[in-house]
Every structure is written in C-alpha cells, then in structure tokens.
Amino acid sequence: MLMHPLTVNGNSRLPFWARVREFAVSPSMIESATARRAVGDWSGACAAARIDVDLNLRAAGRVHGREFAAQVRADLRHLAPDLLRWHFPRIGPDGLVRPGLTVSLARYPSGTQLVARTPPAWADAGQRISLALWEPSRPAAGAGRHPHPRPDRRFRLDLHRHLWDARRTGELWERSGAAQWFAGDDSGLHNSCAVNRWAGEAALLLRADERAEGAVVVRLGSRQRLVLNLGEAAEPSGGRALPVLPDAATWVLPDLELLRAGLIDADRLHPLVAAGLLLEPGTSRSPDGSGNSRLVECRGGTHRIGVVDGVLVPLDHAADEIRREELLVALGGTPLPCLQAIDAAHRRPESLDDVRAHLDHGATSTALAIVEGLLGPDVLLRGGALRDELETAVQRRVAHGLYRAGLTGVGLAPSTSDSTKR
C-alpha cells in the first residue's frame, strides 16, 4: 500500500497518512466516480478520479481473443478508480503518489497484466494515474517515456484486489487484520508491521507465483530485510532471488492506525473502506473555503473584510476613505489594517498551505475554490507566494502534457516546494 514513508519506528506514519486522507482523494471525487461506476460508465469513473485510460480493448481482443477482452472489460467495470487512488503507494513528506511506478492490478492467463502507472516526478502535475496493458513479451511497448514500465515486485495489487475491485472490498476486514485490531490484539502491530498477517500473505504470494520455496523477503526499509520462512523471521542469507512480500501485506492499513489514534472518523473514510471494515460512515464533508467575511482589528475597532461583486474588499470603510488611503499608500504611507489584511490575503493567505496541498495532490478545482472563496472569483492576484504557486501549477500541468505527448519537460520550472518534497 502502500509504501511505508519516512521511518519504521514511532508514529511518523500518522501525520503523514492524516495529510494524505485530508487532501489526496476528495469527497466530491468519490461521489462523482461512484455515480458513474454505478451506471456502468467505467471510463467516466476513471475520468472523475483523474485516471487516464491508455488501452484499447478492441485491439487487445484481436490479439488475445474475445474471452481475454471480456475479462479485462469486467475488471474495468468493477474498478473503483477513486479507491485505487485512496490506496495507491505514496511517498513522503507530502503523501504524493509514488512517481515512475508500474503497479499490477490483474494478471491474465496469457501473461498480460492490467497495470496502473504514474508519470516520473518531473511530470506529476495533477497526480494522474494511467491504466494500460503490459505484455511480458513486449515489456516496454506502449509505455512511451515511462522510466519503469515493468510491474514492480514490491507493489502488487493483483494480490490485493480488495484495494481497487468493488467486488472484493469485503475482504478488507480479514486481509487488513481488522478482526484482531478491533479485538485489541496488538501482537501484530509492532512498529506498524502487520506481522500477524505475514505468514498468510506469504502463502498467497507463493501460490500466485507457483513457487515451491517456503520463503519470502520482507522489506522493512531501504536497508533492512528479513527472510520469512514458515512464519519465522530470520536474517537474510542469499535471498535476493526470493519473492518480495508486497507492501500492502507488510504494513498495517493506515486507516486502522488513524482510527486507533483518533485522527480520522468513519465518516471521513472512503465509503468502501468503511464498509469493508464494517463501520458506518456518515455524510462525507466537502472541502470549502473561508466564510463570507473575516474580522480585522483596525484603528481601535473590529472591522470586516469580505467578497463583494467578486472581489475581496473592506466592508466598514466608505469608498472615498479607501481611495484616500490607497493614494497615501502610493505616496509611501502606511495602509489601513483592513487594506494590509487584504494585501496579505492576496500575497500569502493563511490558507496558502491548504491551497498548495490541494495543488500538489492534483485537486486544482478545490484549490481554486479556496482562492475564490478567499479573494473572490474576479480577483486579479498581486505578486507573492500565492500567485507563484498558481503559476507554478500551470507550468507543471504543461510538463505533464509534454510527458503524455512523449516530449521532454526540460526548461519547465519545478514546484516552489519541490526542494522539500523528493
């Protein structure tokens, strides 16, 4: 799942996953994708979840036969793309989808796999994911400039279909170890490792790979490996060729940890996750901007600023007073506190971190809604951090478009916060 970010020890996972759950998959995305999936519009559901479809079922049917095409079509019709995004592997510190990754979703008798791919980091604007068919006989076919077109051994959702297939979400209760968790058994939760599930998950992996060996490698960090043999963990000894236990089987489901820590309620979980954990979610809350007006301490009184006719303005100063104050500012004077608050909202608003997070996670419409709620839909942004973030987001969208077109992104500006992201 789910890449284990940051460290293995302590509770560093909790703020990380709390941020992912707040920004990565919005309630509006879930609602829209679910509605389209419910009427059989799988491609529309993918579009709602910002997932591109890079496969042609008719062409695949001509190559592999009608039965193969029917299998893939059935999987696509039951794909919950918003749930796939919810569980997709992520990286620290901001919880963005892991870039340059190919994840197997389903394997077919022909050897072909349905895969989900993410673009390289330089083209990750919009946090888009793409669906494709991977052919073992042509491992790079159709992958374009993707850096790692082959399915990753560490991230295998073909063995964890309950994390994306709406038909299988009922398996989450058992596969996540929720039964032991709700019973208060902490024996398998040491350091966020799902130790109590390792033996069972290792058996599933070995059967899927038709391996006779009774051992798998468990990756606990960039330099820490264990060899799991018949339920016993030991130091590795020449185990490089052994199969790797997928991350989704290695770590505790983050939602369980967040629930236990009180950092998330059932009504903030993805509905399919809540149902799989036998919880009753309430009505999901949609992100919003600020209120209709804000209060400012100005010249001994409490004044209001708010959006009028599409622009943020001071509400408790007459128009002629504002014109005089603006003239004084132009001549080098100190502006009214109300005007200072409006200028600060343009250049670096208190909600800038939220705007940046939504932009980072591809929720451009939500970020713009916050800006419009703060400054008005007709605002002309002044120079500052907020405008810089929006301009950078546009440039990164251009980079993603170039990647999709098979071109390079040389010369495009990185995100203003990239230096702390990757």
Side-chain angles (χ1 to χ4, degrees), residues 358-416:
H358 285 300
L359 291 173
D360 285 344
H361 285 279
T364 305
S365 59
T366 302
L368 293 179
I370 294 175
V371 173
E372 289 185 0
L374 180 69
L375 303 176
D378 298 330
V379 66
L380 294 176
L381 282 178
R382 303 167 190 177
L386 177 58
R387 191 169 78 176
D388 290 345
E389 286 292 336
L390 294 174
E391 289 178 346
T392 299
V394 171
Q395 293 178 358
R396 292 177 66 79
R397 283 298 184 97
V398 172
H400 179 78
L402 291 173
Y403 167 75
R404 294 283 297 170
L407 302 173
T408 145
V410 173
L412 292 168
S415 167
T416 55

Side-chain angles (χ1 to χ4, degrees), residues 138-176:
R138 298 185 303 154
R145 297 174 57 84
H146 196 278
H148 303 289
R150 183 182 296 274
D152 195 294
R153 291 198 308 157
R154 182 177 160 202
F155 303 101
R156 289 190 54 179
L157 297 189
D158 60 302
L159 298 179
H160 297 266
R161 292 179 69 120
H162 56 286
L163 301 182
W164 63 266
D165 188 331
R167 296 168 295 188
R168 306 278 293 273
T169 54
E171 299 174 14
L172 184 63
W173 172 262
E174 179 183 356
R175 297 290 296 276
S176 68

Side-chain angles (χ1 to χ4, degrees), residues 19-73:
R19 181 177 180 85
V20 170
R21 295 300 180 243
E22 181 177 1
F23 294 109
V25 186
S26 69
S28 59
M29 174 188 287
I30 295 172
E31 181 180 358
S32 180
T34 301
R36 297 184 186 189
R37 177 171 55 83
V39 297
D41 182 10
W42 65 266
S43 60
C46 287
R50 298 198 305 275
I51 292 183
D52 301 307
V53 180
D54 293 339
L55 56 86
N56 186 318
L57 284 179
R58 289 185 179 180
R62 287 194 294 268
V63 174
H64 298 289
R66 290 183 178 181
E67 184 177 350
F68 169 83
Q71 286 181 304
V72 177
R73 184 177 290 106

Side-chain angles (χ1 to χ4, degrees), residues 164-222:
W164 63 266
D165 188 331
R167 296 168 295 188
R168 306 278 293 273
T169 54
E171 299 174 14
L172 184 63
W173 172 262
E174 179 183 356
R175 297 290 296 276
S176 68
Q180 293 88 349
W181 184 85
F182 283 112
D185 178 8
D186 290 339
S187 61
L189 299 180
H190 177 64
N191 287 340
S192 297
C193 298
V195 178
N196 58 335
R197 287 294 307 156
W198 283 2
E201 296 291 339
L204 292 175
L205 171 61
L206 292 171
R207 284 199 300 270
D209 286 0
E210 299 180 344
R211 304 269 306 230
E213 299 95 327
V216 302
V217 172
V218 182
R219 186 184 188 278
L220 298 178
S222 59

